[in-house]
Amino acid sequence: MNTKLEKIQAIPTNIITGFLGVGKTTAILSLLANKPEDERWAVLVNEFGEIGIDGSLLQGQYSENSGIFIREVPGGCMCCAAGLPMQIALNQLLTKAKPQRLLIEPTGLGHPKEILQVLSAEHYRTILDVQTTVTLVDARKVSDKRYTNHDTFNQQIQIADIIVGNKSDLYQSNEKEQLENYVKLQAGPEIKVVYTEQGQLNPSLLKGASKAAKRLMQSNSNHHQTLTGPEELAIPECGYLKSDNTGEGYRSSGWRISAEKIFHRQAIFNCFAGLNVERLKAVLITDEGVFGYNLVDDSLKEVVLDDCLESRIEIIWKEGEDSGVADSFPFSLLAN
């Protein structure tokens, strides 16, 4: 673990959290687009799946030359195993970037309470200034018991300093009121609720001390999970590496695929549309260039990326459901 952190002090730090598919990565991209040009920002990204995708999507649109530094912690909740994976990645990121602001994006199935506890530990109290914790919520999910009965969904609301109702352009007339009532029930009447579309966040929301962090500073966590590290493995001669994960009622499968294997862009759309999954993210080298893909709520979005070192796919689905992901997936999509 890198120990050269004593020269870094009081870095404004925000957790941007929310359940699967609510638009956290899009919100972070919006914040990065509005970053002051003379500031260096760092982003620590956690993913439920063992194969990291969000870091590649962010790095494909922002480089370190623009003052943005990105580090991933894949494979479950990054606060687990006594917080060691998170601390190692965080220390390396801070030492390299020496940022003026740090954004942390936990997995949608992660435990923000435990992450706040790690950030509030004595070791980081002079290094980090934990500010507003932002929780994104899709108000349409508040009437769905699959969400409201999920402990992580509720914890994300309970630890928030501010709730952002994202995708508000898609709400029905009473869904804002339902969200505000649910937030009062879970977190109390003092938690502010604001609304936005397509993850557009004003950086001014990030400023201010985190009351949630202060409340949790003395609490203890009994949550543990072993993380593995397929990110560190070399891709074998077959040209791909597959890894799976299970937890919180969900399963994931992820692939790292060598750059020599080129995907057929049109076949990607046809295949992804037939999957019964909660979430899909991918960065793929295709016969028409490099693209990032994001599938949520049956809506598939594609974005052009500058470059990537390898192709990556991560799929998450509810345990016990037929995802439509065969063992041969994704090799039926190859153009070569």
Side-chain angles (χ1 to χ4, degrees), residues 93-152:
L93 179 61
L94 294 178
T95 301
K96 181 178 182 180
K98 295 181 174 60
Q100 277 81 45
R101 183 168 294 277
L102 169 67
L103 304 179
I104 297 180
E105 180 195 349
T107 167
L109 295 171
H111 300 79
K113 177 180 176 180
E114 284 81 357
I115 293 170
L116 271 174
Q117 288 173 326
V118 172
L119 299 178
S120 302
E122 185 175 355
H123 175 65
Y124 288 113
R125 287 181 188 174
T126 60
I127 298 167
L128 304 178
D129 176 15
V130 181
Q131 298 190 352
T132 304
T133 295
V134 179
T135 296
L136 279 76
V137 182
D138 184 341
R140 297 173 297 169
K141 308 301 184 185
V142 171
S143 59
D144 188 338
K145 290 185 177 180
R146 293 176 302 172
Y147 292 83
T148 57
N149 287 342
H150 202 289
D151 289 341
T152 300

Side-chain angles (χ1 to χ4, degrees), residues 23-45:
K24 295 185 299 299
T25 303
T26 302
I28 288 177
L29 285 169
S30 170
L31 291 169
L32 295 179
N34 291 286
K35 176 188 74 68
E37 291 185 8
D38 60 343
E39 288 190 5
R40 296 158 65 90
W41 283 22
V43 184
L44 186 65
V45 181

